[in-house]
Amino acid sequence: MMDLLPFLISFYLGYLFIDQFLRNQREWTDLDVFLVPGIGLGLSSQIVFFCLLFFHHNSPIAVLIIHLILISFLFKKRLGHASKHSLTLVWSRFLLFAMPFLIYIVLTALIRPYGEWDAWSYWNFRANFIMHSGGRWEEIFHYNLQGFHPLLLPLIIVWGWSISGQETTLIPMLVSIVFTISTAGLLMGALRSYMSARLAILAGIFLCSIPYFLYHGTSQYADILTAYFLLASGVLGIKLFEKVSWSNSILCGICLGLLAFSKDNGIVAAVLLFLTLGVALLKEEKNKLNFNYTAIGFFIIGISVVIVKYLSSFNKINHAYDIVFSQIFQIQRWSIIINYLYATFFIPYWGGFWIVVLLAFGLGWRKLKQAEAGFIFHFIWIYFSLYLIIFCISVLQLDWLLSVSLDRFLYLLMPLLIFNVFYAFKPSRNS
Amino acid sequence: MKQVIEFNIQRVIFVLFTLMLLPNIYMELRDSQFFVQELKTNPPEILGGDFIPLHPYLSQIPWAGYVPCYESPSPAYDVNLMAPFQQAQFVLSPTLLDYYNALKYPWVILYCPEPNTLEQKLRSITAKPVVVLNNGVALAHRDLK
């Protein structure tokens, strides 16, 4: 039971925070309901991070007090126009549909209590180190410890372990389960604004039916967090074309910031999505204000990413990031990459995802790049091309790199791609 | 005409999404059966269990070297080398382990599961054993002067 306490505190903080943002702006939607867990846990990680910087070690009591102060402050100012009833109704309706998949999710989590390799050797290890290293916590950025990814996932786990009072494998397991379910819910909630409940549910169920989505989601990697915040940033970005709304804009910016705080791929994705969104928004004068507010939200959370990168810059350069640009002209490397891509697209555990998505892109690419969702389309192809180039010019062994990274890189795009296809092919109001 | 084509493409896409559900759910059901079976017959082991007994000895040691008896031409990509190293790193945290500059530190963790290799390795790195476990794991001290 104590293991659930940090989650309940974070969810309540997320709920009050979003409620405050929507003040006088608009009503709660299904989308907001599924933003609650992500925003709540994201805020908790930020509080843990700034307490680490301030006190130079993990200080659970200070973190808890700040949570309680924030909650009581927001509670006094709450509007409560999302009644608890509607929140629980949306969640329980969703969980009812997701129930069969929930069993699979729990089983995949239970069979790997420590998660997959990088979960224990990288993400959970970092959480463990921050918990126990005291004033040495900055050594987490030592060059020996492979890469300098930002700390969203480890800090959520630190928050969970600190409040529950025990370092069980249950906390990282629950984090992965919460984000896996919330990503499917977010997809459904986002589409619900544009189409019938039936089609929105189809999208959510399709995502949950992809074995790799659930299996990798519960591997306790940061990829599911990146996928969640990428989807959240994309769907909130589309809303910015509808009307001038500082609440949507700042929420979108916060999601971009948390996306960047999730891992290095997230930083690239956040910057690129911000740029493509910015280019699309600034085409019209009326959207300028939305863009400015998004930038503010992104900047506020982006500060922690800059601090992490600054702290890690004191260490030796990690050669994993070295590149050899001339490799871009090596046909052999490109053919290896294409072979891997081809093999990946038809592996059964992707559940036919790539077949349908590539077909949709082939048949309706004009639709996909049209109108408000055009920035997502441009983001996807630029991000995709960029990573293929990075694979090609990296100094790391290409076979090894592709075997460990390609699936994970494609995984991040999965929920956003489904959203993009459903959004582009949404039935018109007349039909 | 254009509208009819668009409408049909839209239907094809949504029908394909629906059709894909069946094989996917079948795969998940099949996997679920396997997972249940696996949980019954092979409950998950404690990760890095080989190194856990060293934890109390390392509480005041921030860094230690890691010396395996197994050598690899490309250690960074070698699972046989990296798996025990990273498991040790995971369970012995907050002590950090250094594989690449292992002999820079007075405290060294050795991993030599093959019989008779541990003593040879201790001699070659001129280290005195402090704790030796039955599984080929040892904590040793080196005089760096």
Side-chain angles (χ1 to χ4, degrees):
Chain A
M1 188 60 200
M2 281 301 282
D3 287 321
L4 294 179
L5 187 63
F7 292 93
L8 296 177
I9 296 174
S10 294
F11 293 172
Y12 197 53
L13 177 65
Y15 159 70
L16 291 172
F17 186 81
I18 294 175
D19 191 53
Q20 191 60 31
F21 262 80
L22 302 186
R23 176 180 282 269
N24 302 329
Q25 288 279 306
R26 60 175 172 82
E27 288 300 307
W28 275 71
T29 60
D30 287 8
L31 168 68
D32 304 315
V33 172
F34 293 106
L35 279 175
V36 167
I39 295 282
L41 288 168
L43 288 177
S44 295
S45 80
Q46 292 290 305
I47 295 170
V48 177
F49 182 66
F50 283 100
C51 281
L52 266 179
L53 290 178
F54 190 77
F55 297 105
H56 301 293
H57 57 82
N58 179 38
S59 17
I61 296 174
V63 171
L64 184 63
I65 290 172
I66 294 173
H67 270 86
L68 295 178
I69 291 172
L70 266 177
I71 285 176
S72 54
F73 173 75
L74 292 170
F75 183 79
K76 275 185 194 162
K77 299 191 109 195
R78 83 191 189 286
L79 280 182
H81 59 210
S83 65
K84 278 180 190 163
H85 173 72
S86 72
L87 278 177
T88 44
L89 190 76
V90 173
W91 263 102
S92 38
R93 206 171 49 198
F94 167 68
L95 286 178
L96 196 71
F97 284 110
M99 190 56 78
F101 302 106
L102 207 58
I103 297 166
Y104 183 82
I105 291 171
V106 172
L107 280 172
T108 53
L110 282 179
I111 201 159
R112 300 163 299 159
Y114 296 96
E116 288 286 325
W117 185 309
D118 277 5
W120 53 264
S121 75
Y122 192 83
W123 300 107
N124 297 348
F125 159 68
R126 291 187 140 210
N128 189 305
F129 185 76
I130 291 169
M131 284 283 287
H132 298 290
S133 55
R136 295 169 52 217
W137 78 270
E138 286 175 25
E139 285 185 30
I140 202 69
F141 302 115
H142 194 274
Y143 69 93
N144 257 3
L145 303 177
Q146 340 143 25
F148 312 126
H149 288 288
L151 298 169
L152 180 63
L153 178 58
L155 293 181
I156 293 175
I157 297 170
V158 168
W159 158 243
W161 280 341
S162 303
I163 301 305
S164 67
Q166 44 196 351
E167 278 172 55
T168 58
T169 52
L170 194 61
I171 294 288
M173 212 189 274
L174 282 173
V175 173
S176 64
I177 290 174
V178 163
F179 274 98
T180 308
I181 295 171
S182 301
T183 307
L186 191 68
L187 176 66
M188 229 169 77
L191 288 170
R192 186 67 191 89
S193 318
Y194 306 105
M195 57 190 69
S196 67
R198 223 182 325 163
L199 282 178
I201 290 169
L202 172 64
I205 288 183
F206 178 72
L207 184 63
C208 282
S209 80
I210 301 169
Y212 185 59
F213 173 72
L214 301 186
Y215 191 83
H216 192 59
T218 53
S219 297
Q220 302 178 21
Y221 283 20
D223 296 333
I224 186 64
L225 280 71
T226 312
Y228 174 88
F229 285 113
L230 183 58
L231 177 66
S233 312
V235 297
L236 284 166
I238 288 183
K239 295 242 175 251
L240 304 188
F241 293 89
E242 291 167 10
K243 61 174 182 179
V244 176
S245 158
W246 65 266
S247 63
N248 278 343
S249 311
I250 292 194
L251 272 179
C252 178
I254 288 173
C255 286
L256 280 169
L258 291 171
L259 167 64
F261 198 50
S262 62
K263 63 183 290 196
D264 278 354
N265 299 19
I267 299 177
V268 178
V271 172
L272 199 58
L273 193 61
F274 179 68
L275 291 177
T276 50
L277 176 65
V279 169
L281 278 175
L282 293 175
K283 278 180 188 164
E284 286 184 52
E285 187 63 26
K286 71 176 173 72
N287 293 328
K288 203 177 167 187
L289 209 56
N290 279 346
F291 176 74
N292 292 345
Y293 282 127
T294 308
I296 292 170
F298 189 20
F299 176 76
I300 291 168
I301 307 290
I303 291 171
S304 17
V305 183
V306 174
I307 294 171
V308 165
K309 288 291 153 192
Y310 173 73
L311 290 174
S312 57
S313 68
F314 291 112
N315 289 298
K316 271 191 205 170
I317 294 164
N318 187 323
H319 294 290
Y321 296 124
D322 285 357
I323 54 169
V324 180
F325 194 74
S326 58
Q327 287 178 172
I328 204 167
F329 302 111
Q330 291 180 12
I331 305 290
Q332 198 192 355
R333 288 181 78 84
W334 282 110
S335 76
I336 293 172
I337 292 170
I338 289 163
N339 281 342
Y340 261 90
L341 266 180
Y342 181 77
T344 303
F345 286 164
F346 294 100
I347 286 175
Y349 65 60
W350 281 96
F353 169 80
W354 290 106
I355 298 168
V356 189
V357 166
L358 288 175
L359 194 71
F361 267 71
L363 292 174
W365 66 276
R366 279 178 205 277
K367 266 177 167 294
L368 285 155
K369 70 186 184 101
Q370 264 170 11
E372 296 89 359
F375 80 93
I376 296 182
F377 176 83
H378 292 302
F379 161 78
I380 288 169
W381 77 257
I382 298 173
Y383 188 66
F384 191 80
S385 318
L386 188 68
Y387 264 86
L388 291 190
I389 292 170
I390 290 173
F391 284 138
C392 190
I393 62 178
S394 169
V395 288
L396 298 172
Q397 276 182 16
L398 187 59
D399 279 313
W400 176 82
L401 185 63
L402 289 167
S403 65
V404 299
S405 303
L406 185 64
D407 280 357
R408 289 194 234 169
F409 153 70
L410 294 173
Y411 183 87
L412 309 180
L413 295 172
M414 204 193 291
L416 190 66
L417 274 168
I418 296 181
F419 174 80
N420 200 16
V421 170
F422 270 74
Y423 182 85
F425 287 99
K426 66 180 183 289
S428 62
R429 300 271 178 211
N430 312 331
S431 61
Chain B
M1 184 63 186
K2 197 182 159 196
Q3 274 183 335
V4 174
I5 292 171
E6 273 188 8
F7 182 66
N8 282 329
I9 291 175
Q10 188 187 71
R11 284 175 76 173
V12 166
I13 298 294
F14 287 133
V15 166
L16 268 175
F17 271 114
T18 317
L19 284 177
M20 288 296 175
L21 290 178
L22 291 171
N24 290 354
I25 291 171
Y26 168 74
M27 265 193 286
E28 287 183 355
L29 274 173
R30 194 194 53 193
D31 289 352
S32 300
Q33 278 178 329
F34 170 75
F35 294 148
V36 171
Q37 195 62 32
E38 194 71 3
L39 282 169
K40 276 184 191 164
T41 50
N42 298 321
E45 288 173 14
I46 295 175
L47 192 83
D50 286 351
F51 299 93
I52 290 176
L54 295 186
H55 197 273
Y57 300 95
L58 292 163
S59 59
Q60 300 300 320
I61 301 170
W63 280 88
Y66 177 85
V67 179
C69 285
Y70 168 75
E71 282 175 19
S72 168
S74 50
Y77 304 104
D78 194 330
V79 176
N80 294 325
L81 192 138
M82 279 297 140
F85 167 62
Q86 293 193 351
Q87 285 179 17
Q89 176 83 90
F90 175 65
V91 297
L92 299 177
S93 166
T95 300
L96 295 174
L97 305 183
D98 194 342
Y99 165 76
Y100 295 98
N101 305 295
L103 301 182
K104 210 173 84 178
Y105 307 92
W107 294 95
V108 181
I109 286 159
L110 292 101
Y111 181 65
C112 302
E114 297 294 318
N116 307 324
T117 50
L118 180 63
E119 280 156 26
Q120 208 180 340
K121 196 74 186 177
L122 280 166
R123 269 199 303 275
S124 73
I125 62 167
T126 58
K128 287 179 192 156
V130 177
V131 184
V132 179
L133 306 176
N134 293 334
N135 51 16
V137 173
L139 173 67
H141 187 266
R142 296 179 70 240
D143 199 351
L144 291 183
K145 282 176 194 170

